[in-house]
Amino acid sequence: MMNAFEQHGIGHLSVSQANLFAAAPALYVMERLLGHRGGVGISAHRGTAAEHGIERGLFSPDMPVSECQDAALKEFDRLTALCAGANRDKEREAIPGIVETALAELRQYGAPSRPEGGRQHKIECRLDGVPVPVIGYLDFVFGQSGTIVDLKTQLALSSKIKEEHARQGALYQHAHGNYEMRFAYTTPKKIGVYVLENGRQHLEALRQIFLRMERFLSVSKDPKELAGIVCPDYSSFYWSDPATRAKGLQVFGF
Amino acid sequence: MALGIGNAGSSGSGEILNRIEYDARAGRFFRVDRSQNASGDWETNKVEMKTPLTLVYDIENIEVGWVKLDKSGVDFRMVAIGENIGPRPEGTDMNGKPSYRQGFRLKVYSKNLLGGVRTFAHTAQCVIGQMDSLHTRFSTQFPANQGKVPVVTVTDTLPIKSGQSTNYAPVFTIDKWIDRPADLTAPARAEAPKPQAVPSTGSGHAPPPAPKTAEPADMEPEFA
């Protein structure tokens, strides 16, 4: 007997799915169930590119920072080759500072463990009552100190771990036994490395989201019917990309 | 506010009360009457109670925890809402599944329909979800209705598809608030339950950690 996730072709779950469902269920239905993916924002490409440079610098501790910065900028240019946006230059300008700031802090952690095949460490977990596995990818695992670090690049520094990131960290911690979970929020000039608190509660919150997701999906096998019972909130930053909003108008009719 | 079903504890209140039952597969409520026959044997008689079904629900004193309901018997390991329910008690049934399931239990009252106070407990996810929603509405209205109890009507049932089967979740509505009936006594409490705080996530910059002497993989996992 198929569960509601499998009926919708969902073989595994992720924290990003949970966070999207919790924050913007209409966008979840549009992107994940109806398959109308919105564009990846330039700020997301900034994060990916900066991580690329920081990763080079952590796995090769003697690599000059300037080389890491160049690698990050090349990656940004590759990813955004077909992206037009008013903030493209601003995002690109932030990258060298983010790389430098992050490396100054994280190189003190030593060399991270090398992932087996691939860029990141893949984890797979089972949560009580959730019938399909939950998958995630860890950025950096520092075995010597028993620390997992997830990198988050920003233009303005967060003063604490965001709720949606706490759920992500709780899952990573659940998969990695006695490791400490940290988030490194990095801006061009500052870095805040915060230790995850109350992992058990945030994991339970994640589990509750998945349970609610399953209940929602069980209402109907038809994604269009599900689209008919949720409402897009275009004021949310999830809908900030114009192409995504346009697709929303097409799908939801308003 | 969530029922907080998810974490563990001790047994609940010691009273033994008759109960009402909800059949989620059929969407029907029953009053379960127990009586002794001429031979002294106890018999169970189920009397259906049709919707709309209006009872007083003692949501203020709802309990959450672990429930075992099988042929070997009934066992409730309950705590007051907001307390830690602890890990799942050990034990499996004939099919190898855990004997204990998370659930809730509360008292309901009606002199006419129930002859007084009974318990209502359930472990089905669809019912827990609806009770969770009711509890949230209760929590919102309770500050303005201290010392009173809600009169709740089950107006309808909501079909919830799960695979090939359909369960029916009861739809609860708070109609009004009344003074607590004398028969529906509240358990003694040292202080009013405190609202649950949203768990913090983590703040304050942490310096780079020192290397550990033992590999973390050899230690007991923090999250079992």
Side-chain angles (χ1 to χ4, degrees), chain A residues 2 7 105 109 128 143-147 159-161 178-179 182 193-200 202 204 212 218, chain B residues 5 88 102 132 160-161 163-164 198-212 216 219 221-223:
Chain A
M2 292 175 88
Q7 284 186 347
E105 179 72 20
Y109 284 56
D128 192 28
Q144 271 215 309
S145 58
T147 311
S159 59
K160 62 177 183 175
I161 298 172
N178 208 28
Y179 276 66
R182 295 185 173 204
V193 180
Y194 310 134
V195 179
L196 177 68
E197 296 170 1
N198 300 305
R200 220 182 268 276
H202 295 295
E204 176 59 16
R212 280 155 174 73
S218 69
Chain B
I5 287 182
R88 187 195 302 269
Q102 289 177 351
D132 188 358
I160 307 282
K161 286 182 190 173
Q164 295 298 319
V198 176
S200 58
T201 54
S203 60
H205 180 77
K212 290 194 173 181
M219 297 181 184
E222 180 178 4
F223 289 177

Side-chain angles (χ1 to χ4, degrees), chain A residues 51 54-56 58-59 106 112-113 119 121 138-142 147-151:
Chain A
E51 278 186 38
I54 293 163
E55 188 184 295
R56 296 278 295 267
L58 289 180
F59 285 113
L106 297 179
S113 310
R119 228 204 89 227
H121 302 266
L138 280 59
D139 283 345
F140 303 110
V141 180
F142 297 91
T147 311
I148 301 167
V149 176
D150 195 84
L151 192 64

Side-chain angles (χ1 to χ4, degrees), chain B residues 81-100:
Chain B
I81 193 166
E83 292 180 15
N84 186 353
I85 72 170
R88 187 195 302 269
E90 289 187 5
T92 52
D93 61 17
M94 294 185 318
N95 300 317
K97 292 187 179 175
S99 297
Y100 287 84

Side-chain angles (χ1 to χ4, degrees), chain A residues 18-30 231 233 236 238-239:
Chain A
N19 287 336
L20 181 60
F21 178 76
L27 186 60
Y28 172 83
V29 170
M30 188 179 96
C231 299
D233 175 10
S236 159
Y238 280 97
W239 291 95

Side-chain angles (χ1 to χ4, degrees), chain B residues 60-120:
Chain B
E60 182 183 355
N61 298 300
I62 191 170
E63 296 173 297
V64 292
W66 299 103
V67 184
K68 183 168 77 101
L69 291 166
D70 60 28
K71 288 181 182 162
S72 70
V74 175
D75 186 25
F76 288 91
R77 308 280 181 101
M78 314 302 281
V79 296
I81 193 166
E83 292 180 15
N84 186 353
I85 72 170
R88 187 195 302 269
E90 289 187 5
T92 52
D93 61 17
M94 294 185 318
N95 300 317
K97 292 187 179 175
S99 297
Y100 287 84
R101 297 176 61 179
Q102 289 177 351
F104 68 84
R105 180 175 67 180
L106 78 162
K107 290 180 187 174
V108 290
Y109 170 83
S110 167
K111 196 164 181 182
N112 296 341
L113 291 175
L114 306 179
V117 180
R118 294 197 180 219
T119 60
F120 173 37

